[in-house]
């Protein structure tokens, strides 16, 4: 793949809304690595880490991808065969550590013909770029993306709970019946008991994998924050002191993301003050809340308004958190973000673009770029009258009255 087409492809992949990145990445790699399905396990997304796309003959689960993520070596894509849904399939697995806890891309191929090093290099570079893009969203904890993640969290948690209860009740009942002394077929009872026990073990193991992805130990989450802040004062007279939570209790990953993002947003405003010699950054777990505090010994004149540009309040609002600013003139300021560990945010509004068909989305992309009907017709190889028809449908489905409003909705969702 030549340099310019490769850059264009990368741009087309990462400019998509997060939910459409995997399909676009799959399409971008289709010529280089012909495949029937694609899947990813990306730990940046706390509550829906597994995503799939394509002709899923095999059912791909997080249990299939978790070992690949654990054993994968970044920069060295693995090609071989993998058992998926009881059958062996040729696959390509690409691992990236562009996110702190890694991500793996799996392509279920049509055949097992070896791929060249140049093809593997392109696949690795694209996946590193995508996962780095993911990590930016996670680190910045943008309110819209965070709200969607949090809403998915509630749905996924409910489904897991219902599935777990149903399976546990069923399997426990089977065990009770099969262990009954009233049954005399010992061999059948033993085989069925072993099968049921294995199913229970798998159910519990899956719940544990979900928990590991959806949560982070508080002390490790804080250490990651501290490592990212130290370079800020490397050449400054201000001394940065850290006070971690001192416990390994796990916290929801989206809460940890937000706490880190808030502290990173607050600290530059704190460091801009005069007569400053020491800043203390600390986390504390108090009941069902995480308190992330930045305390300084400056003039004590910092206000919440000074932090408005960093969108701190918006980030906290998504998780029903709050920001407390306690300034004492002459003694310093303490800025504390309080995040509930079990917050239940309001459901975000549905994405209006889901009402559009594939061709309508293509037309809307061109509208968002400011293209007129003639240009759109040339680019999509359709007539201008067809473009007008699609534009009319787009305005109707989105409930807007102008091309500009439609373009604004596209940019808001991108």
């Amino acid at each position: 793949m030549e340099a310019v087409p490769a850059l264009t492809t990368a741009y087309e992949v990462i400019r998509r809304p997060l939910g459409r990145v995997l399909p676009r990445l799959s399409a971008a790699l289709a010529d280089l690595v012909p495949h029937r399905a694609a899947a990813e396990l990306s730990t940046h997304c706390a509550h829906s880490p597994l995503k799939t796309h394509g002709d899923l003959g095999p059912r791909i689960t997080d249990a299939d991808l978790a070992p690949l993520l654990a054993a994968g070596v970044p920069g060295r894509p693995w090609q071989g065969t993998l058992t998926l849904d009881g059958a062996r399939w040729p696959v390509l697995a690409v691992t990236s550590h562009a996110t702190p806890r890694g991500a793996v891309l799996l392509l279920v191929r049509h055949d097992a013909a070896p791929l060249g090093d140049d093809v593997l290099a392109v696949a690795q570079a694209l996946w590193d770029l995508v996962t780095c893009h993911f990590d930016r969203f996670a680190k910045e904890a943008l309110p819209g993306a965070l709200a969607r993640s949090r809403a998915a969290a509630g749905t996924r948690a409910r489904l897991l709970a219902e599935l777990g209860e149903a399976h546990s009740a069923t399997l426990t009942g089977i065990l009770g019946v099969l262990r009954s002394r009233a049954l005399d077929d010992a061999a059948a009872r033993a085989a069925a008991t072993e099968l049921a026990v294995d199913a229970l073990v798998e159910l519990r193991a899956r719940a544990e994998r979900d928990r590991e992805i959806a949560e982070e130990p508080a002390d490790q989450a804080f250490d990651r924050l501290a490592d990212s802040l130290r370079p800020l004062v490397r050449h400054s007279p201000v001394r940065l002191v850290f006070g971690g939570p001192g416990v390994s209790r796990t916290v929801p990953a989206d809460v940890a993301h937000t706490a880190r993002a808030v502290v990173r947003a607050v600290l530059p405003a704190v460091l801009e003050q005069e007569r400053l010699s020491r800043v203390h950054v600390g986390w504390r777990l108090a009941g069902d809340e995480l308190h992330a505090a930045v305390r300084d010994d400056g003039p004590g004149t910092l206000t919440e308004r000074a932090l408005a540009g960093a969108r701190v309040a918006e980030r906290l609002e998504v998780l029903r958190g709050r920001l407390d600013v306690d300034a004492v003139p002459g003694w310093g300021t303490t800025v504390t973000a309080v995040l509930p560990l079990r917050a239940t945010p309001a459901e975000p509004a549905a994405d209006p673009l889901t009402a559009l068909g594939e061709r309508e989305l293509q037309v809307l992309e061109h509208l968002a770029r400011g293209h007129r009907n003639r240009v759109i017709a040339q680019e999509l190889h359709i007539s201008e009258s067809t473009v007008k028809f699609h534009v009319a449908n787009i305005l109707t489905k989105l409930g807007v009255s102008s091309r500009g409003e439609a373009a604004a909705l596209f940019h808001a969702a991108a």
Side-chain angles (χ1 to χ4, degrees):
M1 185 179 289
E2 298 295 331
V4 172
L7 290 173
T8 302
T9 298
Y11 166 72
E12 288 297 330
V13 171
I14 65 173
R15 70 185 293 269
R16 301 282 171 158
L18 290 182
R20 298 177 192 159
V21 167
L22 182 62
R24 189 64 187 87
L25 178 62
S26 175
L29 291 172
D31 291 337
L32 292 175
V33 186
H35 57 277
R36 59 184 301 159
E40 67 172 85
L41 186 63
S42 299
T43 55
H44 74 282
C45 187
H47 298 290
S48 54
L50 175 68
K51 296 178 179 65
T52 59
H53 170 72
D55 179 15
L56 299 178
R59 185 176 63 89
I60 303 175
T61 68
D62 54 356
D64 300 319
L65 271 66
L68 296 176
L69 177 59
V73 178
R76 294 174 57 186
W78 175 77
Q79 45 186 327
T81 57
L82 189 68
T83 300
L84 300 171
D85 205 19
R88 300 288 290 180
W89 297 87
V91 300
L92 173 66
V94 186
T95 304
S96 174
H97 279 181
T99 58
R101 293 186 289 167
V104 62
L105 171 69
L106 181 73
L107 301 178
V108 183
R109 303 176 58 199
H110 293 290
D111 58 63
L115 299 169
D117 291 342
D118 55 340
V119 172
L120 299 180
V122 171
Q124 181 72 60
L126 274 176
W127 185 234
D128 284 339
L129 182 66
V130 168
T131 52
C132 185
H133 178 60
F134 288 157
D135 189 50
R136 180 181 69 84
F137 277 94
K139 284 182 176 179
E140 293 182 1
L142 297 175
L146 190 56
R148 289 190 291 272
S149 174
R150 197 67 168 183
T155 301
R156 185 163 179 263
R158 288 194 297 272
L159 290 175
L160 282 174
E162 293 169 3
L163 183 64
E165 291 172 2
H167 278 82
S168 294
T170 301
L171 294 175
T172 301
I174 292 174
L175 285 173
V177 171
L178 295 181
R179 286 173 174 168
S180 172
R181 294 183 179 180
L183 298 176
D184 56 7
D185 191 346
R189 185 165 63 248
T193 300
E194 181 180 359
L195 181 62
V197 169
D198 288 345
L200 275 173
V201 170
E202 171 59 26
L203 181 65
R204 290 168 182 162
R206 177 171 297 224
E208 178 63 20
R209 282 193 295 271
D210 287 332
R211 187 197 65 78
E212 289 176 353
I213 291 174
E215 297 181 349
E216 288 188 69
D219 52 358
Q220 294 181 22
F222 182 81
D223 288 343
R224 287 175 53 194
L225 171 65
D227 289 342
S228 70
L229 295 182
R230 288 189 179 95
L232 296 181
V233 295
R234 183 172 298 160
H235 304 291
S236 169
V238 177
R239 187 162 61 98
L240 198 56
V241 180
F242 297 100
V247 295
S248 57
R249 173 185 169 186
T250 59
V251 298
D254 46 5
V255 172
H257 287 327
T258 302
R260 285 192 292 263
V262 167
V263 171
R264 281 193 290 260
V266 167
L267 190 57
V270 170
L271 293 175
E272 288 178 0
Q273 300 177 101
E274 298 179 355
R275 305 192 307 276
L276 195 68
S277 62
R278 183 178 182 272
V279 176
H280 181 275
V281 176
W283 280 12
R284 178 172 62 88
L285 292 174
D288 287 334
E289 293 180 335
L290 170 62
H291 294 236
V294 179
R295 186 176 68 250
D296 66 61
D297 61 354
T301 57
L302 193 65
T303 64
E304 188 170 342
R305 179 176 296 180
L307 305 174
R311 303 178 68 187
V312 172
E314 293 178 66
R315 290 184 169 106
L316 293 173
E317 184 180 354
V318 174
L319 301 187
R320 301 291 173 86
R322 69 178 190 273
L323 187 71
D324 297 331
V325 179
D326 182 16
V328 180
W331 291 91
T333 305
T334 300
V335 180
T336 306
V338 181
L339 286 158
L341 298 180
R342 299 177 182 176
T344 306
E347 291 282 332
D351 183 356
L353 301 190
T354 57
L356 304 182
E358 183 63 30
R359 178 62 83 181
E360 290 167 342
L361 284 171
Q362 293 173 355
V363 172
L364 180 57
E365 286 186 27
H366 286 282
L367 288 181
R369 297 177 190 174
H371 293 171
R372 308 310 301 170
N373 289 352
R374 179 176 297 179
V375 175
I376 298 174
Q378 292 172 348
E379 291 289 332
L380 299 181
H381 306 291
I382 56 179
S383 67
E384 283 191 57
S385 60
T386 302
V387 173
K388 293 178 182 178
F389 173 77
H390 285 312
V391 171
N393 282 344
I394 290 169
L395 298 183
T396 299
K397 290 182 178 181
L398 297 182
V400 297
S401 58
S402 70
R403 299 161 71 102
E405 291 180 69
L409 282 178
F410 177 84
H411 288 301

